[in-house]
Structures are given as structure tokens and as C-alpha cells.
Amino acid sequence: MVLIKTKREIPSSEITPEAVYLSRRKFIGQSSAVVAAGALAHSTFALPDSWIEDNGYEPMDEIGEDITPKKHATNHNNFFEFGTGKTDPAKHAHQMTVDPWSVEIEGLVEKPGKLSLEDVIKDIDLEERIYRLRCVEAWSMVIPWIGFPVKKVLDKVRPLSDAKYVKFTTLLRKSEMPGTKALFSSIEYPYVEGLRLDEANHPLTIFAIGMYGKVLPNQNGAPFRLVVPWKYGFKSIKSIVKIELTKKQPQTTWNLSASHEYGFYANVNPKVDHPRWSQATERRLPQGLIPRSIKTKMFNGYDEVASLYEGLDLKKNF
Ligand SMILES: Nc1nc2c(c(=O)[nH]1)N[C@H]1C(S)=C(S)[C@@H](COP(=O)(O)O)O[C@H]1N2
Ligand SMILES: [Mo]
């Protein structure tokens, strides 16, 4: 049995500057704990009940943003493999087998090969990160993820010096993914995404295996997905089965589908509109009777990533 140490109270100074956190979650229970992860992936990532109940999150006092209620974050999804409707993933993603799960490590790395999800996360501390998620469609949520920096995995497999990009690929299993069988589709499968290596190594970039104190629901990208909080949601690729280090910028699903609408960088930017709508504001979910519109922030409010793009024209490189 593999033991995975979790940080329950996360001193933000340990990971990233305080500002990256909307709020530090107040965990219930003891201050140190271990989560047991057995030989098999998904079902064995049982997090202790004391982590919280679905409604146990407190409002985010620092900047007054509330965590999106779990029922909204798990019933309003984009996961086209299960259909294009926002409720399709919640309806159909249970068909996806996520246990056992393995991840292929390929390309310009010292240690390529196939890793079980347990091997991927072995010896890596789990952290909770409360992040805004800003979809390119101009809605947003605030989600408490459980995961770990992508850098920790890259450090394990050791990128070679000529590796410049990381490419990620989602599972494609047509028999379990009704959306991939549609006759007409706006995107091709498998879903692929990519980051520059320095973006992937940034401390804000995480792999998530859980949310709201529990294992990731399938519709949110179980058992293992990327979360890049300063980029539009489509960069945060779900249910990852392959990680490849490359020299050239990898192709990405939405850029392949409509390159004038979706760029490789996809940094949240209120000054660069989508050709068909403004990106200056966003609808924070859940919406009540009176629509809640808030101003979109550059880099989704995560200013500390600005230095990654010094000298880059962010209008051209949208
Ligand atoms: N494989 C895959 N990953 C995906 C998508 C998808 O359709 N397929 N949709 C993306 C988009 S557009 C968004 S906004 C986020 C949504 O994540 P959530 O459903 O967990 O909120 O997932 C991203 N990752
Ligand atoms: Mo999105």
C-alpha cells in the first residue's frame, strides 16, 4: 500500500506567494494526515471524510469571491467526449472506466515509459488550490482542487535539455464516450493540449486528482487532469493518458478546430476579444435571476505569471 502525505492546512508561503490563493481553506480536523492510496487508482484515492462535506466551504473573505457550489461545478461542464451540452458530461461520464489508469511518458525525457497513476503521484504531497476557472465562453467558477504541481511529475521523468514544450492527450475510448461518435463534430479526438515547458513548470500549474475534498468526478476529468488557472479553461485538459515532451510547439485541439478563434497561449485577457464576443466581462456561476457579471482580469487575476510573457505580443499570441 502506498501512502500519500497530504497537506491539510497549506501555508501558502510553502508553495507560491500568498496572493495566488483566493483564500486558504480552513480544514476541519487534525493538522496532519495521510491518505492511503492502495494498489488501484481511482477508488482508492479516498480522502478522509473530515476533509469537508460538500457544503463545508467557507466564503472567500479576502476578495469576496465565493466558492462555486459543488453541484454547479459538477453539472455544468465542458467535456465534449461526452457531448456538447453542459449537462451531457454529468449524464454520460460515469461510463468512462478510470480504474486502473496509466499515463504514457514520451518524447524528450530521460525516463520515458508507462506509469500507473499511483507511480505518477508516489511521494508527491497533495495540496488544495482554490482557483478561478475562466472559460473562453465567458463564464467562470471558483473551484477547490486537490492536486500537485506539474513540475513535480516533470522532475521525476526529467525532460532533456532540448525539450521546450509539453503535450497532453486525453483518453479516447469511443465505446465509453458517446460524444466521440457524433457524425458531425466541431473538434477532433483525442483531445490534445500543450504548454511551453516554463508554463508547465510554473508553481501555479497543477495536475488535479480531486475537488471539493473528494476524488474528481468523471465529468471533471477523472482520474487525472491539468489545471492552468491563468488560461482559458480549454487548456485544462481532462482525463490525461499521455504526456509528451517536444521540441516544437504541439498542436492543440481548439486551435486545430478554429485557429483564428483559439490560440496556443489562450491566456485570459480582457483586452483581446474572441472574434464573436467580448472577453472584457464574465458571468460568474451560478447565475441567479439577476445576471452576475464581473470584470475579467488579465491572466484571470494571476499576475505573477506576467514575467513568463515578457517581450511577447499577447495580441498576436492570443
Ligand atoms: N478532454 C477534454 N478536456 C477538456 C474539455 C473537453 O471538452 N475535453 N473542455 C475544456 C473546457 S472548454 C473547459 S472550460 C474545462 C471545464 O472543466 P470543468 O468541466 O471541470 O469545469 O475543461 C477543459 N478540458
Ligand atoms: Mo471552456
Side-chain angles (χ1 to χ4, degrees), residues 202 204-205 229-230 267 299 302-310:
H202 192 279
L204 285 178
T205 307
W230 72 93
N267 292 319
F299 299 122
Y302 300 97
D303 294 328
E304 55 271 62
V305 301
S307 60
L308 293 173
Y309 308 106
E310 260 164 39

Side-chain angles (χ1 to χ4, degrees), residues 145 206-208 216 220-221 224-227 236-240:
W145 302 105
I206 60 167
F207 285 128
L216 271 189
N220 293 91
F224 174 57
R225 60 129 5 128
L226 184 70
V227 181
S236 292
I237 181 173
K238 295 176 169 181
S239 305
I240 296 167

Side-chain angles (χ1 to χ4, degrees), residues 73 76-81 133-136 139 141 143 145 170 187 191 211 219-221 225 233-239 254:
H76 179 281
N77 301 100
N78 277 332
F79 200 165
F80 275 37
E81 287 85 337
L133 175 85
R134 169 58 159 85
C135 178
V136 75
W139 52 264
M141 307 197 213
I143 299 179
W145 302 105
T170 293
I187 61 171
Y191 195 101
M211 65 195 290
Q219 63 266 37
N220 293 91
R225 60 129 5 128
F234 67 82
K235 297 295 288 183
S236 292
I237 181 173
K238 295 176 169 181
S239 305
W254 281 101

Side-chain angles (χ1 to χ4, degrees), residues 206-314:
I206 60 167
F207 285 128
I209 60 166
M211 65 195 290
Y212 297 85
K214 299 258 153 68
V215 164
L216 271 189
N218 283 7
Q219 63 266 37
N220 293 91
F224 174 57
R225 60 129 5 128
L226 184 70
V227 181
V228 194
W230 72 93
K231 293 180 179 283
Y232 291 119
F234 67 82
K235 297 295 288 183
S236 292
I237 181 173
K238 295 176 169 181
S239 305
I240 296 167
V241 292
K242 200 198 285 183
I243 302 171
E244 190 179 350
L245 279 290
T246 67
K247 197 168 182 162
K248 281 208 224 147
Q249 183 175 298
Q251 293 193 310
T252 58
T253 291
W254 281 101
N255 183 249
L256 283 168
S257 150
S259 59
H260 58 293
E261 298 191 343
Y262 311 103
F264 173 80
Y265 281 93
N267 292 319
V268 174
N269 189 339
K271 292 196 189 117
V272 178
D273 287 336
H274 186 279
R276 292 182 278 132
W277 59 84
S278 165
Q279 295 292 25
T281 61
E282 64 202 57
R283 300 178 307 279
R284 177 60 55 82
L285 301 185
Q287 287 285 296
L289 289 175
I290 301 157
R292 231 185 351 156
S293 177
I294 59 175
K295 280 194 174 140
T296 291
K297 295 187 181 130
M298 186 65 203
F299 299 122
N300 206 17
Y302 300 97
D303 294 328
E304 55 271 62
V305 301
S307 60
L308 293 173
Y309 308 106
E310 260 164 39
L312 194 72
D313 182 337
L314 295 176

Side-chain angles (χ1 to χ4, degrees), residues 2-11 14-15 21 27 31-35 45 47 51 118-129 145-153 156 203 205-210 224:
V2 189
L3 289 178
I4 295 154
K5 267 225 314 294
T6 61
K7 287 183 182 148
R8 309 191 106 203
E9 179 80 48
I10 309 152
E14 267 185 30
I15 311 145
Y21 285 96
F27 292 104
S31 60
S32 71
V34 264
V35 173
F45 288 134
L47 296 164
W51 266 52
E118 292 68 38
D119 288 336
V120 173
I121 66 171
K122 200 178 164 206
D123 301 323
I124 296 180
D125 287 346
L126 298 180
E127 304 167 11
E128 179 163 79
R129 301 284 184 101
W145 302 105
I146 295 166
F148 44 87
V150 167
K151 182 178 193 304
K152 297 210 171 169
V153 177
K156 272 191 190 181
T205 307
I206 60 167
F207 285 128
I209 60 166
F224 174 57

Side-chain angles (χ1 to χ4, degrees), residues 22-35:
L22 293 175
S23 155
R24 272 188 293 140
R25 243 286 309 299
K26 294 176 185 76
F27 292 104
I28 297 157
Q30 324 89 300
S31 60
S32 71
V34 264
V35 173

